[in-house]
Amino acid sequence: MEPNDYNLNDESNLPSGHDDKSSFDLPADYFSSFENKLRKKIESQEELKEFPFLLSVSKNNLFSVPVDYFAEVEKTLESTAELSIYAKLQSIKPIVPTELEADYIKHLQSCIQYKVELTEELKSYEILYSIDKENPFVVSETYFETFAEHIKDKIFATKGTKESVLDSVLDFIFGKKTTLAFGIITVICLAVYFYKSTEKPLEIGDCKTLACLERQEILNNNKVISNFDDDQLIDLVDVKSLDKQLNSKKETKVSTEQLNMDSVSEQDILDEL
Amino acid sequence: MPHYSDEEILSLYRDESSRNMALHHLIQKYQQKLYWHIRKIVISHDDTDDVLQNTFIKVWKGLAGFKEESQLFTWLYRIATNESLTFLKQKARANTTSIHPIEYQLSKSLESDTFFSGDEIQLKLQKAILTLPEKQRIVFNMRYYDETPYEQMSEILETSVGALKASYHIAAKKIEEFLVTN
């Protein structure tokens, strides 16, 4: 059969078992627009005849778009169209989800396991388990916004005053620690001084009693002596030692006098007379 | 705004010219976490504000000596916890007029606190928590509310994991008993 003899409109020419609703389909206006399309193509080829190079190059689109671009554009346009009647909603910028942290998925499993562990731990305490875990404390909205500045002011204000050398020295001298140390040292010094002055033993000479002290020695320590009454003073006197010392002093005096007389000659006496 | 990592903050601090920035980022990163940690210990907002300020001032003064043997946040939490406990001790010492322990006073102050938004059951739960000894209270709050792992808590509170687990379970048991009886 010659191709020209093949009439598509003639049902008898169709293969048996085929009807209009074949498994192949075409766009609705394919045949009506085909002629037009063909004409345009011929026209453009006629135009390009003068430019053989352009005619030889295949007309391929060298540019590409991201995957799903057109699907996304369609969605965006749809949502913009939907929102166009709500002016306020349209003015709000939608939140673009940020990319997940690199190790998010890696940690997700352990995070879930930990949550399960916490829940299991609490399950044995029925009442605690039934209560919603929420923070009942509140804080003013602006508190955290201003806190950093507040702390910085406080830290750098303190730092500024300490930069002066004079202030540092004064701080050191009148600082709590220095004052405390100075106070303790003063108290210790005074305590040692008074202890020594009250407990200072009297030099009591050879006889080992107060009776052997010289008059001046006793006067120098009159504060101590004044603490004794007469009876105590008498008790302190070792009579034997006192006698002995007095006798020894007497003997020394006599022997000294004797010694002096021995050294005087008869002529000296006569001269004196 | 994404927060700087601890390493980045410390490297900013080491450079004299960017030290102020380090302080800014340190506060921005930790102010809220430390605030809520302190708040659950000292209860009142004003007291929390004082303690938080002291904490950051102490941190700033001691940052030069921070040896990085522990993590920065562990060190911060440790300072915040110690500051809170010291504050409570000072408050208890200063309040010579009341015969009640400090925990009772904190519990009473909750009822009139304008910065407390909890309902009746939440108030009851807070009161139950306030019946616990200080250390148990901190352990319970860190585990129950902040969901802090025991290992981290161990570093912050310098207590063994086993002791912390025991402490948490004793605390939870006591709270259950309180909630049942009250």
Side-chain angles (χ1 to χ4, degrees):
Chain A
M1 192 191 288
E2 290 293 320
N4 289 344
D5 298 336
Y6 199 90
N7 187 0
L8 282 173
N9 292 327
D10 188 356
E11 281 187 21
S12 60
N13 289 329
L14 289 169
S16 59
H18 252 120
D19 55 9
D20 283 342
K21 290 169 186 172
S22 70
S23 54
F24 298 101
D25 211 351
L26 288 168
D29 56 347
Y30 176 76
F31 290 112
S32 58
S33 62
F34 181 76
E35 193 187 332
N36 210 11
K37 221 161 80 178
L38 199 66
R39 258 182 226 283
K40 275 184 183 172
K41 203 166 186 177
I42 292 164
E43 267 174 36
S44 81
Q45 276 184 352
E46 287 294 319
E47 269 175 11
L48 285 174
K49 259 184 183 173
E50 294 168 36
F51 312 101
F53 176 76
L54 285 176
L55 193 68
S56 66
V57 175
S58 65
K59 274 186 186 177
N60 283 338
N61 186 5
L62 300 171
F63 301 99
S64 60
V65 290
V67 186
D68 294 336
Y69 169 75
F70 292 107
E72 288 296 320
V73 164
E74 200 181 331
K75 277 181 197 169
T76 315
L77 287 172
E78 261 177 39
S79 82
T80 315
E82 274 172 8
L83 286 174
S84 61
I85 46 170
Y86 309 105
K88 266 192 181 177
L89 274 177
Q90 210 179 5
S91 66
I92 299 168
K93 275 191 177 178
I95 299 163
V96 181
T98 50
E99 270 186 36
L100 290 175
E101 285 172 30
D103 51 358
Y104 174 77
I105 301 292
K106 209 170 92 184
H107 291 308
L108 185 64
Q109 195 183 350
S110 58
C111 277
I112 293 168
Q113 271 176 351
Y114 183 59
K115 282 270 175 194
V116 171
E117 191 188 305
L118 281 167
T119 317
E120 288 297 317
E121 191 179 62
L122 210 59
K123 255 184 185 173
S124 47
Y125 307 103
E126 277 176 37
I127 302 174
L128 271 175
Y129 185 67
S130 67
I131 298 171
D132 285 336
K133 248 193 215 183
E134 60 180 56
N135 181 5
F137 299 102
V138 283
V139 69
S140 66
E141 281 176 16
T142 54
Y143 177 72
F144 292 117
E145 286 168 24
T146 54
F147 183 78
E149 290 306 314
H150 187 57
I151 281 288
K152 274 194 264 181
D153 288 348
K154 223 171 176 181
I155 287 173
F156 295 118
T158 321
K159 219 179 173 184
T161 52
K162 284 201 172 175
E163 271 169 12
S164 153
V165 178
L166 182 68
D167 285 349
S168 307
V169 172
L170 287 173
D171 260 7
F172 175 73
I173 295 169
F174 298 107
K176 271 184 187 174
K177 283 178 185 173
T178 319
T179 313
L180 188 71
F182 184 74
I184 291 169
I185 291 166
T186 312
V187 169
I188 291 169
C189 288
L190 286 171
V192 169
Y193 172 76
F194 284 116
Y195 176 77
K196 283 202 167 179
S197 64
T198 52
E199 292 294 315
K200 194 178 176 182
L202 289 169
E203 298 291 330
I204 50 178
D206 298 337
C207 69
K208 314 287 182 199
T209 69
L210 279 171
C212 297
L213 289 171
E214 294 294 327
R215 187 172 168 271
Q216 197 53 46
E217 286 174 328
I218 293 169
L219 286 173
N220 286 344
N221 292 288
N222 74 333
K223 275 186 186 170
V224 182
I225 297 296
S226 63
N227 290 335
F228 296 100
D229 57 23
D230 291 348
D231 292 336
Q232 281 175 313
L233 281 169
I234 289 162
D235 288 342
L236 284 167
V237 175
D238 183 345
V239 184
K240 279 184 185 174
S241 302
L242 183 62
D243 275 349
K244 204 177 171 185
Q245 196 155 359
L246 286 172
N247 287 335
S248 71
K249 278 190 176 179
K250 216 175 179 178
E251 277 168 15
T252 319
K253 207 177 173 184
V254 172
S255 65
T256 315
E257 278 171 8
Q258 276 174 352
L259 187 75
N260 289 341
M261 286 305 285
D262 290 345
S263 62
V264 179
S265 64
E266 281 181 12
Q267 191 56 48
D268 290 333
I269 296 165
L270 285 171
D271 287 346
E272 194 68 28
L273 286 168
Chain B
M1 194 178 84
H3 291 303
Y4 276 53
S5 70
D6 289 352
E7 288 74 29
E8 284 170 324
I9 291 172
L10 286 171
S11 68
L12 282 174
Y13 177 80
R14 277 183 220 110
D15 184 0
E16 191 87 38
S17 61
S18 60
R19 205 161 266 192
N20 286 3
M21 233 159 72
L23 175 65
H24 177 80
H25 290 297
L26 184 78
I27 297 170
Q28 289 298 334
K29 187 174 180 182
Y30 286 108
Q31 60 175 354
Q32 295 211 28
K33 285 176 190 165
L34 292 181
Y35 175 88
W36 294 117
H37 176 66
I38 297 167
R39 181 77 189 268
K40 286 185 201 103
I41 303 172
V42 301
I43 305 297
S44 130
H45 165 74
D46 292 333
D47 292 345
T48 308
D49 184 42
D50 285 344
V51 176
L52 187 62
Q53 285 182 32
N54 290 342
T55 302
F56 273 113
I57 291 170
K58 243 184 190 170
V59 165
W60 187 246
K61 282 180 180 171
L63 203 55
F66 176 61
K67 286 171 187 163
E68 294 179 49
E69 284 164 358
S70 58
Q71 292 184 64
L72 185 63
F73 84 89
T74 311
W75 185 61
L76 293 172
Y77 264 75
R78 203 179 298 155
I79 293 174
T81 309
N82 290 340
E83 280 294 305
S84 308
L85 293 177
T86 310
F87 176 84
L88 284 185
K89 275 192 191 100
Q90 283 170 351
K91 197 173 180 176
R93 223 177 291 147
N95 197 353
T96 50
T97 51
S98 175
I99 53 160
H100 298 295
I102 187 77
E103 286 78 15
Y104 177 82
Q105 291 166 43
L106 294 174
S107 178
K108 280 280 152 200
S109 71
L110 260 180
E111 290 166 19
S112 54
D113 194 346
T114 48
F115 288 114
F116 184 83
S117 67
D119 53 17
E120 202 185 332
I121 187 73
Q122 292 293 344
L123 180 66
K124 217 182 219 182
L125 176 59
Q126 284 306 316
K127 282 185 174 181
I129 295 170
L130 280 167
T131 60
L132 301 171
E134 274 172 359
K135 195 79 181 276
Q136 266 179 31
R137 195 147 61 90
I138 294 168
V139 172
F140 182 81
N141 280 330
M142 286 179 86
R143 185 69 180 170
Y144 180 77
Y145 285 111
D146 308 336
E147 300 184 343
T148 315
Y150 284 118
E151 289 73 22
Q152 243 174 51
M153 256 198 270
S154 166
E155 280 178 50
I156 295 165
L157 303 173
E158 294 172 311
T159 313
S160 70
V161 170
L164 288 170
K165 278 183 185 174
S167 197
Y168 176 73
H169 286 287
I170 293 166
K173 215 173 178 181
K174 281 184 188 170
I175 289 168
E176 281 271 305
E177 280 167 12
F178 181 93
L179 293 172
V180 170
T181 51
N182 291 274

